[in-house]
């Protein structure tokens, strides 16, 4: 379709209310993430029906969202910026969901001219009534969503676009895949999704369980990183991307907004230098927008922050020397 500069009308909570993710409510007060309906895969040989190809796919992302940020980092590390196009939605969403608007770091939709991301879901499945999430991988050829299932997207970018990717970058080494998968599962449950289980718990018991598991895992990861530069030695892998996006938001948002305040990231002797090490690499720091991050969380979750007040801090020196280069596997 011809690209346009159409954008959504301004955020309006009075008219549209707060966005709801549609997560099923639990009797024990725990948070359960909703399902991600579109789970097709990209394959190099095209056997999935979605062959890897230059110029065919588009990513809709929010720089505020950790799930979407993963795909942005992987795309940059792999050198696929000219292979897969990308647009960035407004970090603040009302009841209409993610939207394309004018603003610093935001971009109109250059592919379809959608003003609301919901339009991509409706175009793919008329009458769609589920969660409108980012990232979304869109197939320009078929005019539909391939996937909004964020765990798959970085794997597919790392493994199926080898014809165009930087050959020096291997985010998902074949020999390490079982170990990476096992660690990813634990990090997702306790850390990536664990912070949300803390923030959106509606009972003390659910919060206590989530926060205990979160910090037990962070303590374990801090110990793991005492003797190795990255999670699997001296090479950045897909596992580092998954962990880092949560660490990047930890002290700025989660410790305050989601009550994950038992310890700060900055209190960890190994996790904090590790996070700075990654931040100082362009694919990580260069794709991190703390303004979008703060405005999304503090300006969107009205039940947690009804007056939408953005905190002034914290002051974190992400550019401080990290001393991690001396470590090997």
């Amino acid at each position: 379709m011809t690209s346009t500069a159409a954008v959504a009308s301004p955020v309006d909570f009075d008219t549209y209310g707060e966005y709801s993710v549609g997560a099923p409510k639990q009797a024990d007060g725990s948070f359960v993430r909703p399902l991600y309906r579109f789970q097709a895969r990209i394959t190099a040989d095209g056997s999935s029906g979605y062959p890897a190809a230059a110029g065919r796919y588009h990513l809709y992302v929010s720089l505020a969202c950790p799930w979407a940020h993963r795909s942005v980092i992987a795309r940059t590390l792999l050198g696929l910026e000219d292979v897969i196009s990308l647009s960035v939605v407004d970090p603040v969403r009302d009841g209409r969901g993610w939207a394309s608007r004018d603003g610093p770091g935001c971009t109109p939709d250059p592919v379809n001219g959608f003003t609301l991301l919901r339009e991509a879901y409706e175009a793919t499945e008329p009458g769609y009534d589920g969660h409108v999430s980012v990232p979304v991988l869109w197939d320009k050829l078929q005019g539909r969503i391939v996937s909004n299932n964020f765990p798959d997207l970085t794997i597919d970018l790392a493994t199926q676009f080898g014809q165009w990717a930087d050959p020096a970058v291997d985010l998902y080494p074949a020999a390490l895949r079982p170990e990476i998968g096992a660690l990813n599962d634990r990090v997702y449950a306790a850390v990536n999704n664990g912070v949300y289980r803390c923030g959106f718990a509606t009972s003390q018991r659910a919060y206590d369980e989530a926060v205990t598991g979160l910090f037990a895992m962070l303590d374990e990861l801090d110990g793991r990183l005492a003797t190795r530069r990255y999670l699997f030695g001296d090479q950045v892998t897909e596992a580092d991307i998954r962990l880092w996006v949560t660490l990047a938001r930890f002290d700025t948002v989660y410790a305050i907004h989601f009550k994950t305040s038992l310890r700060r990231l900055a209190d960890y002797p190994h996790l904090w230098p590790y996070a700075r090490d990654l931040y100082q690499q362009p694919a990580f720091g260069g794709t991190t927008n703390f303004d979008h991050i703060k405005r999304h969380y503090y300006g969107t979750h009205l039940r947690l922050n009804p007056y939408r007040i953005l905190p002034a801090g914290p002051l974190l020196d992400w550019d401080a020397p990290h001393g991690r280069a001396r470590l090997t596997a």
Side-chain angles (χ1 to χ4, degrees):
M1 301 178 72
T2 302
S3 64
T4 73
V7 294
S9 60
V11 171
D12 186 347
F13 288 108
D14 290 337
T15 300
Y16 299 106
E18 179 183 5
Y19 180 77
S20 172
V21 300
K25 296 187 181 301
Q26 303 297 304
D28 66 354
S30 61
F31 169 74
V32 176
R33 187 164 294 280
L35 297 176
Y36 294 81
R37 190 171 300 179
F38 303 105
Q39 300 191 17
R41 304 295 295 268
I42 303 294
T43 48
D45 63 5
S47 59
S48 65
Y50 295 100
R56 176 166 174 168
Y57 301 103
H58 181 79
L59 275 170
Y60 291 100
V61 303
S62 164
L63 297 180
C65 171
W67 318 120
H69 195 183
R70 293 177 179 183
S71 298
V72 180
I73 293 170
R75 172 179 174 266
T76 305
L77 280 171
L78 293 160
L80 296 175
E81 295 98 324
D82 294 332
V83 176
I84 301 169
S85 56
L86 178 145
S87 56
V88 180
V89 298
D90 184 354
V92 182
R93 61 180 178 181
D94 57 25
R96 294 171 289 178
W98 299 109
S100 298
R101 293 191 179 89
D102 291 323
C106 302
T107 57
D109 174 5
V111 175
N112 299 295
F114 294 148
T115 60
L116 300 175
L117 189 57
R118 177 172 296 280
E119 296 172 64
Y121 283 78
E122 180 69 24
T124 304
E125 182 183 307
Y128 178 80
D129 61 355
H131 179 32
V132 177
S133 66
V134 286
V136 161
L137 185 66
W138 177 266
D139 181 1
K140 301 175 189 177
L141 183 63
Q142 297 190 37
R144 60 175 291 116
I145 293 172
V146 178
S147 177
N148 70 333
N149 195 43
F150 58 86
D152 295 337
L153 291 182
T154 48
I155 298 293
D156 288 356
L157 292 178
T159 60
Q160 304 304 312
F161 286 85
Q163 181 178 342
W164 303 275
D166 182 346
V169 177
D170 187 358
L171 297 177
Y172 200 47
L176 292 175
R177 289 177 188 179
E179 294 177 68
I180 289 174
L183 184 62
N184 280 348
D185 288 346
R186 297 180 62 223
V187 167
Y188 171 78
V191 180
N192 301 141
N193 198 50
V195 295
Y196 287 87
R197 291 178 59 230
C198 293
F200 292 125
T202 58
S203 73
Q204 187 68 49
R205 180 176 179 178
Y207 167 79
D208 289 343
E209 179 182 337
V211 82
T212 298
L214 167 64
F215 282 96
M217 191 67 202
L218 290 177
D219 291 348
E220 178 184 327
L221 291 166
D222 190 67
R224 181 186 184 98
L225 290 164
T227 57
R228 62 184 85 193
R229 185 172 182 180
Y230 305 118
L231 290 173
F232 287 92
D234 57 3
Q235 174 184 357
V236 172
T237 67
E238 200 261 351
D240 295 293
I241 297 173
R242 293 194 184 209
L243 174 60
W244 190 83
V245 293
T246 299
L247 299 183
R249 291 156 176 76
F250 201 87
D251 289 3
T252 298
V253 172
Y254 301 142
I256 305 166
H257 194 55
F258 284 174
K259 308 180 191 70
T260 64
S261 53
L262 187 63
R263 280 181 290 280
R264 302 172 303 160
L265 172 63
D267 295 326
Y268 279 98
H270 308 296
L271 274 172
W272 175 223
Y274 161 81
R276 297 200 310 274
D277 182 3
L278 290 172
Y279 176 82
Q280 292 169 31
Q281 300 177 33
F284 289 84
T287 62
T288 300
N289 189 316
F290 286 114
D291 173 63
H292 278 215
I293 289 168
K294 290 180 75 169
R295 287 197 292 121
H296 168 64
Y297 284 95
Y298 294 112
T300 296
H301 301 145
L302 303 187
R303 288 168 293 174
L304 301 183
N305 188 27
Y307 295 104
R308 301 175 61 201
I309 294 171
L310 273 64
L315 296 175
L316 298 168
D317 188 358
W318 284 93
D319 292 314
H322 53 76
R324 301 283 298 173
R326 61 182 174 79
L327 295 173
T328 63

